[in-house]
Amino acid sequence: MSVLLSKSSDFLLKSTFLRGFSGSIHLVLLIVLFLSWVFKKLRADGNEVAKRSVRNNGFLYYKQTLFCCLGLSIFNFAICFLNHFYWYRNGWSEEKIATLLDSVLRTLAWLALSVYLHSQFLYPSERRYPFVVRVWWGFFLSISCYCLVIDFVYYKRYQILQIQYLVSDVVSTVMGLFFCYVGYASKVDGEDTFLQEPLLNGNIRESKQSNRGEKTLTPYSNANLFSIFTFSWMGPLIAVGYKKTLDLEDVPQLASVDSVEGAFPILRDKLESDSGSSSRVTTVGLVKALIFTTWKEILLTASLALVYTLATYVGPFLIDTFVQYLTGHREFDNEGYVLVLAFFVAKLVECLARRHWFFRLQQVGIRARAALVALIYNKGLTLSCQSKQGHTSGEIINFMTVDAERIGDFSWYMHDPWLVLVQVALALVILYKNLGLASIAAFVATVLVMLANVPLGSLQEKYQDKLMKSKDTRMKATSEMLRNMRILKLQGWEMKFLSKIVALRETETGWLRKYVYTSAMTTFVFWGAPTFVAVATFGTSTIMGIPLESGKLLSALATFRILQEPIYNLPDTISMIAQTKVSLDRLASFFRLDDLQPDVVEKLARGSSDIAIEIVDGRFSWDISSPNPTLKEINIKVSHGMRVAVCGTVGSGKSSFLSCILGEMPKLSGNVKLSGTKAYVAQSPWIQSGKIVDNILFGKEMDKERYDRVLEACSLKKDLEILSFGDQTVIGERGINLSGGQKQRIQIARALYQDADIYLFDDPFSAVDAHTGSHLFKVMKDGRITQAGKYNDILKSGSDFMELVGAHKEASSALDSIDAGTREDKGVVSVTNAALKEEARNDVNGKEVDIIGPKGQLVQEEEREKGKVGFSVYWKYITTAYGGALVPFILLAQVLFQLLQIGSNYWMAWATPVSKDVAPLVGGSTLIIVYVALAIGSSLCILGRALLLVTAGYKTATVLFNRMHLCIFRAPMSFFDATPSGRILNRASTDQSAVDLNIPIQVGAFAFSIIQLLGIIGVMSQVTWQVFLVFVPVIGICIWLQQYYIPSARELARLVGVCKAPVIQHFAETISGSTTIRSFDQASRFRDTCMKLIDGYSRPTFNTAGAMEWLCFRLNMLSSLTFAFSLVFLISIPEGTIDPSIAGLAVTYGLNLNMLQAWVIRNLCNMENKIISVERILQYTAIPSEPPLVIESNRPECHWPSHGEIDICNLQVRYAPHMPLVLRGLTCTFGGGTKTGIVGRTGSGKSTLIQTLFRIVEPAAGHIMIDGINISSIGLHDLRSRLSIIPQEPTMFEGTLRSNLDPLEEYSDEQIWEVLDKCQLGDEVRKKEGKLDSTVTENGENWSMGQRQLVCLGRVLLKKSRVLVLDEATASVDTATDNMIQQTLRQHFTDSTVVTIAHRITSVLDSDMVLLLDHGLVEEYDSPSKLLENKSSSFARLVAEYSVRSNSSV
């Protein structure tokens, strides 16, 4: 019996039984899983599709479990492969066959289980792991523990320990414990996150999570240690992106420490505590504050950088030992396994440190940039007007878009200065260990290479600085032209201004060319540096007689390759430090600019005084240093409830007077007191992009009753009824889809809704206010109040006021023929109501496109491509320059470089002896000469490649720029109405910069890294072809991971682009409307909005960084496994099977496999992300164009139009094919030389008729003939250059007065002076220092509104066309100036056809004909006298209403 038991126990201890039993149960698992899968398939119902797209989060540690199952499959495959190879050489046995079968079945079973678990994860009904799986895990743990116990029993009995069994059983036991824990532990509460919820509409939780990203915090904020280490917290978002197109609401909120709300207060408080006040901010203080904001992350990244650097040098340090091991020189037992473990652990540490170093660096950059942008925004809100004059809005926006961005990017480089010293020191230690004193030569060569980089770096810095400045100039000009594109098209100037942009771009590309060719030389130094240092070192060794052994030589080569990075980065780092210093200096000087004086206005508590406004002995000046104050001797006291009118000629100081009350103007002396809340309406309407209702409420809660009263008072109800979306209509940028009158009335509605105590109106009605009878007047002249008192009193007492009233009476004299009965006083008319109703009746420039339109907003969300970037984008990019002819030569140069570099290293490894006691195969001189020849060849190849690449990239950037800008400037006006300028500017700046500088490098880097990877695989396969058995599946997994990751990364990159524009646009709007914002005390609300937008931009940026590290971590892990496998293989094969030197070479290259494999995928991802800029530019090269500018076969005669007769026949116009008609069959004739006034309510078609006359809009049917020529049959420039227009909003461009009057340079100075005298600007210009070259600042802001209008008059006087259009031309000037303009036009355009869109009825009373439009049809068309005779005519009623209002004021 005991014998039987002994035999039985021996049998149970045998490996054959254990491995056979293990294989059998794994086979059973395979069968069970297969049957389960078949059963599920048969049971599947019609809801399968819905189920598949739903994700379940019920499983505990699902991702880790799946990863472990896959890991076990790969591990068993590796064991199987190693056993097969080893036993194939040494013979087979029964035990070995059983073990091999067990490994095969384990590999298949765990792979099948991984697939099964993945499929289970798709079904929402399962809340725990399937019962079968949990039972299997319990059984697996029991078997694994049993096998492990047997291993030790076997060792104790026979003193034999089989390493492969022990390793396998230990791994299986650990895995079994983990599986049992996750299988039998209860589900953790709160495990769900928004990202793991079902995503299809109709889900019961959908409504709760419609704004998931807006409400949910990033999983990073509460991730466990394992999740942080492996970046698993990014997994849910990447999974969502894989299943659907990511939108901003899918991206979670940042943790408070990374959000602007967390970072900004720290930066602001530190700056204030160090500097005392913003006026004393220094560059050093700003740097200290930024460091203080992110000091924890800076210390952590420094530690990680140091650990990474130390880990990278473990490989080169151990290579010589490894080669010696392969030759048979072994220090102790199992030394090979210890070496493999050391290599592998170093790679793991390197991977972890690098990934977290890079991620944390980006975190620092995001935080610093967000805090700086918020600081810049706050400064922009408080800047004084004088400070603003020194910086255009474009320059201030550049602080945000360029300088803050650059400081954020500097986080990548901040550790490089000290890190390079550590790297060089470590390299020298290794080189000294291997090559002795020859390491000094390596040090000298390294220093020489670095010094060679210094001039290149300084040149790059210089060219970069010039490039940025020239780009700033171009962007400033582009921004101005986009703002005024309507004027450019109406005047036919767009191609002239495009040529200015192209000329500015040529200056920019001059610097770009120098920059990219300098970069090419830097690239040459980068790739040539290791070879140069190697030649110097090995040459010195040969001269000094230091023996070169293959192990030491390979260690040196690996060290040189690591040194390549700091050598390359040094000029970049130096350049970046210099650039960042420039940006910090710029920002510090910006923060030092003067703010508005906080003590200009003394604010009294509401109700504390009967006096609303009081100014005593006030002296104010826009320029404090000027000896002549803008306003002086200002004394005024205004009681609550009083209405005060401020009168004066153009430039007398009326708007400045309001500014001093608002506290916007620097006070020299005196006191200003305000009691109560205030509301302000600016002369130039400031409308925020967004909904009409939001513009009116302006941060206040909705009070429906008050809101309706305000709409009624401002005559907005009819406008809102016409608009498709009513008050929910989205207003375009700068209110582009509203008429001038509508913008002004919305401004007034905004003020009225505030229910303020004090209302300040700056010429809001562009006409004389009604019923000013007993209220006070202040008459301004030369910055003084020359007269003050009641209307009748000051009318009798002085001449200044009489001049103004006389001008108004002259304008109203045409009304005298109207029946006196219509002049009866109807009682006191509300100022606001009467004026606004008149404004509404005579509203002009109504954009009918938005009034009678389809159910679609004018301004849509920014378009972005979705899904994969098409191959056509890549193809267009690489074939843009010279049809792609340079591409084959670039690739050939890289292939030759790779072959020559491998050849030179192969030569050195083969030709040098393994150890001292082995004779060298060739002489020392031959060794070095061949190596130098190969090195020179490879360096020439890399130089050629670098030069060809930048040539192709430069040419492509130039071609794409020209194509895009030509398409933009030739686009129809409807494109600019619907597209905020921020979107166009984003493409012209950010995307164009990417095409100029980044994309050629990214596309090249992807191609070159693939060639390098193939080279490494080639070298490794020469030694260990079996590595392919692991490498191929690993590459497969890498590609799958990349395909899994890229949809999310691509959409996140697109979101970054889309989310940047709103920040810029909001900032630009804030700068232009800062006075209005401050006057309503809304600065804090705008700051909050800005912070939300900044975080909206930071969210996709943060997650882009996290997603990239998520991918790279996994790729690095896989390549580390491949490398470890090849090392295990090398130590497992019998001694002497392969040449140790060549094996060492394979290991040397294998050290880079980890990095390069990840680099290929990373470059692919970066390229896909960056190529989106090309995609966005290509979108704008396909904009539909306007009709031809010139039709050579049908050009009008040079003196056309000679008579000026305009014949309109059955004119039908719509703004798009799917939209209703705006003009519905309009027929009339404007006789040559006649004066015609066009009147009509908003939406009647006045503006559309003028736009059709200039072919801004093309007719759908009918035609317009001018002197017998159909205007649709000739080129746009031939038409527009022969017509003249004075636009509604007077526009001046930055430059000189001459360039504004004569941009096409067609007239002499004498002609220009003559015109200036005609429009009464001559004397004013002669006073200026520059005369005709007097400076015009951005938007002409250093000229008053009236003066700008006179310049527009000067333009048409120079042109003197036969057809002149006045588009509400005198809305911005006082009545006297209006009369002067009308008189000048009557005098100099007697023979011309003049078409006037009327704002003031008096403007059309002296016309020959009046055209009254109603809903796109002619309602009345006759002479004014005839229309007035018929009291029932619409025109007569309109004049009667105006008469009542204007006479009540006189």
Side-chain angles (χ1 to χ4, degrees), residues 64-139:
Q64 292 88 332
T65 305
L66 190 62
F67 181 76
C68 287
C69 289
L70 273 172
L72 266 179
S73 179
I74 294 167
F75 174 74
N76 282 296
F77 173 74
I79 293 283
C80 171
F81 173 74
L82 286 170
N83 286 339
H84 174 269
F85 180 78
Y86 187 71
W87 292 331
Y88 181 78
R89 297 279 183 96
N90 297 286
W92 295 95
S93 68
E94 187 180 294
E95 178 187 336
K96 291 175 181 176
I97 292 170
T99 304
L100 199 65
L101 285 173
D102 178 37
S103 299
V104 170
L105 289 167
R106 280 172 178 250
T107 302
L108 295 173
W110 286 107
L111 184 63
L113 185 58
S114 303
V115 174
Y116 178 74
L117 280 176
H118 183 65
S119 66
Q120 283 296 314
F121 188 56
L122 298 171
Y123 291 88
S125 58
E126 301 288 350
R127 306 302 293 171
R128 299 188 64 167
Y129 288 102
F131 176 72
V132 171
V133 174
R134 284 183 286 130
V135 168
W136 160 249
W137 282 340
F139 202 62

Side-chain angles (χ1 to χ4, degrees), residues 13 58 113 124 165 257 262 351 423 546 629 649 689 973 1106 1125 1333 1426:
L13 287 174
L113 185 58
Y165 292 156
V257 71
C351 162
Q423 288 170 314
I546 297 170
T649 56
S689 55
M973 201 59 224
F1125 172 81
D1333 293 320
K1426 286 187 180 178

Side-chain angles (χ1 to χ4, degrees), residues 881-1134:
Y882 312 108
L886 296 182
V887 175
F889 294 103
I890 294 169
L891 294 175
L892 178 63
Q894 177 65 22
V895 169
L896 287 173
F897 163 73
Q898 194 65 34
L899 290 173
L900 288 168
Q901 196 180 53
I902 290 170
S904 63
N905 292 339
Y906 201 95
W907 163 257
M908 293 297 281
W910 173 82
T912 51
V914 175
S915 60
K916 294 176 187 176
D917 41 332
V918 178
L921 295 171
V922 295
S925 56
T926 309
L927 181 77
I928 296 300
I929 289 167
V930 172
Y931 185 71
V932 168
L934 292 169
I936 290 170
S938 66
S939 298
L940 289 174
C941 286
I942 211 68
L943 178 62
R945 186 209 82 185
L947 292 172
L948 288 171
L949 180 65
V950 297
T951 302
Y954 168 77
K955 178 68 176 176
T956 303
T958 305
V959 171
L960 287 177
F961 177 91
N962 291 337
R963 281 185 195 166
M964 177 174 74
H965 279 72
L966 180 62
C967 284
I968 289 171
F969 275 72
R970 291 285 292 115
M973 201 59 224
S974 56
F975 168 75
F976 298 97
D977 289 345
T979 309
S981 63
R983 292 184 194 170
I984 304 172
L985 291 172
N986 221 355
R987 284 167 172 82
S989 59
T990 308
D991 293 321
Q992 186 63 46
S993 283
V995 172
D996 287 346
L997 302 170
N998 303 120
I999 295 175
I1001 295 168
Q1002 287 295 343
V1003 174
F1006 172 64
F1008 307 151
S1009 59
I1010 283 184
I1011 292 168
Q1012 276 188 286
L1013 182 63
L1014 292 173
I1016 287 184
I1017 294 167
V1019 171
M1020 292 182 74
S1021 62
Q1022 285 292 306
V1023 181
T1024 54
W1025 63 265
Q1026 292 82 359
V1027 81
F1028 276 108
L1029 296 172
V1030 172
F1031 189 77
V1032 170
V1034 164
I1035 281 289
I1037 295 169
C1038 286
I1039 292 169
W1040 178 82
L1041 279 170
Q1042 187 268 340
Q1043 293 299 318
Y1044 182 68
Y1045 150 88
I1046 200 64
S1048 304
R1050 189 169 45 229
E1051 298 311 320
L1052 283 168
R1054 284 172 173 151
L1055 284 172
V1056 168
V1058 169
C1059 292
K1060 190 174 184 179
V1063 181
I1064 299 169
Q1065 189 180 338
H1066 180 71
F1067 190 33
E1069 281 186 344
T1070 302
I1071 290 169
S1072 63
S1074 56
T1075 302
T1076 301
I1077 293 165
R1078 287 192 293 263
S1079 67
F1080 283 86
D1081 297 322
Q1082 291 285 323
S1084 60
R1085 181 171 68 88
F1086 274 74
R1087 285 191 189 100
D1088 291 343
T1089 304
C1090 178
M1091 285 188 168
K1092 283 179 187 169
L1093 291 171
I1094 292 168
D1095 275 347
Y1097 174 46
S1098 294
R1099 276 158 57 197
T1101 309
F1102 176 85
N1103 284 283
T1104 297
M1108 176 60 82
E1109 300 311 326
W1110 176 93
L1111 176 70
C1112 286
F1113 173 79
R1114 281 148 183 77
L1115 297 180
N1116 284 353
M1117 286 291 111
L1118 288 167
S1119 52
S1120 296
L1121 286 171
T1122 308
F1123 180 55
F1125 172 81
S1126 62
L1127 292 177
V1128 169
F1129 172 79
L1130 286 171
I1131 64 168
S1132 301
I1133 57 175

Side-chain angles (χ1 to χ4, degrees), residues 537-551:
T537 308
F538 299 150
T540 305
S541 297
T542 305
I543 293 166
M544 294 176 70
I546 297 170
L548 288 174
E549 299 166 21
S550 57

Side-chain angles (χ1 to χ4, degrees), residues 36 87 107 163 206 263 311 366 413 461 519 630 730 765 1051 1162 1174 1176 1202 1385:
S36 173
W87 292 331
T107 302
I163 291 293
E206 173 73 17
I366 289 166
Y413 300 86
E461 181 196 337
S519 297
T630 311
V730 174
F765 313 122
E1051 298 311 320
R1162 188 184 182 112
V1174 175
R1176 283 160 58 85
S1202 55
L1385 292 173

Side-chain angles (χ1 to χ4, degrees), residues 250-524:
D250 297 313
V251 183
Q253 291 288 353
L254 298 174
S256 60
V257 71
D258 290 315
S259 73
V260 68
E261 288 180 3
F264 168 64
I266 300 170
L267 180 67
R268 180 195 59 205
D269 296 346
K270 182 64 178 172
L271 265 181
E272 288 176 358
S273 66
D274 287 355
S275 307
S277 71
S278 61
S279 60
R280 292 203 293 271
V281 172
T282 62
T283 304
V284 174
L286 186 57
V287 171
K288 282 167 64 179
L290 284 167
I291 291 171
F292 186 76
T293 308
T294 55
W295 68 270
K296 290 178 185 173
E297 281 67 28
I298 291 173
L299 284 179
L300 179 60
T301 50
S303 307
L304 289 168
L306 186 60
V307 170
Y308 166 75
T309 304
L310 293 169
T312 54
Y313 281 100
V314 171
F317 187 81
L318 293 177
I319 280 180
D320 186 30
T321 311
F322 191 77
V323 171
Q324 296 305 319
Y325 173 85
L326 292 179
T327 59
H329 297 89
R330 298 174 186 184
E331 301 290 329
F332 54 88
D333 290 342
N334 295 323
E335 183 188 1
Y337 289 106
V338 172
L339 283 171
V340 170
L341 188 64
F343 275 116
F344 184 63
V345 169
K347 278 290 163 196
L348 290 184
V349 171
E350 181 188 326
C351 162
L352 273 171
R354 186 182 178 90
R355 300 281 57 91
H356 286 278
W357 172 28
F358 282 9
F359 176 69
R360 296 284 185 165
L361 283 179
Q362 291 174 84
Q363 206 176 358
V364 169
I366 289 166
R367 204 178 296 176
R369 192 203 68 243
L372 274 175
V373 168
L375 200 64
I376 294 164
Y377 182 87
N378 280 8
K379 184 70 179 180
L381 260 179
T382 59
L383 270 185
S384 68
C385 293
Q386 190 178 6
S387 298
K388 268 194 194 172
Q389 284 178 357
H391 292 82
T392 64
S393 60
E395 287 172 338
I396 296 173
I397 288 167
N398 261 1
F399 291 135
M400 177 183 282
T401 56
V402 177
D403 294 299
E405 200 80 36
R406 188 181 288 153
I407 291 166
D409 290 343
F410 180 70
S411 61
W412 283 100
Y413 300 86
M414 65 183 171
H415 296 306
D416 287 5
W418 64 266
L419 207 54
V420 71
L421 300 174
V422 175
Q423 288 170 314
V424 171
L426 287 171
L428 288 174
V429 168
I430 293 171
L431 290 171
Y432 185 76
K433 169 184 172 282
N434 291 317
L435 301 173
L437 290 175
S439 59
I440 296 170
F443 175 69
V444 172
T446 303
V447 170
L448 286 174
V449 171
M450 287 181 170
L451 289 175
N453 266 320
V454 170
L456 287 172
S458 62
L459 275 176
Q460 268 189 294
E461 181 196 337
K462 174 188 169 185
Y463 296 150
Q464 170 86 358
D465 187 47
K466 298 283 188 185
L467 183 63
M468 289 305 299
K469 284 179 180 172
S470 55
K471 181 186 172 185
D472 285 350
T473 309
R474 172 175 64 82
M475 289 309 301
K476 195 169 156 187
T478 306
S479 175
E480 183 177 52
M481 288 170 203
L482 291 175
R483 270 200 311 272
N484 301 302
M485 187 56 76
R486 186 176 295 277
I487 303 300
L488 297 184
K489 288 196 174 291
L490 288 169
Q491 302 281 10
W493 292 343
E494 70 265 44
M495 298 317 287
K496 173 68 177 178
F497 278 76
L498 173 60
S499 67
K500 288 184 180 180
I501 296 287
V502 171
L504 290 171
R505 171 67 180 176
E506 281 172 2
T507 306
E508 184 185 349
T509 51
W511 295 114
L512 175 64
R513 191 187 307 112
K514 291 175 180 175
Y515 179 82
V516 294
Y517 281 109
T518 309
S519 297
M521 295 308 296
T522 310
T523 304
F524 168 62

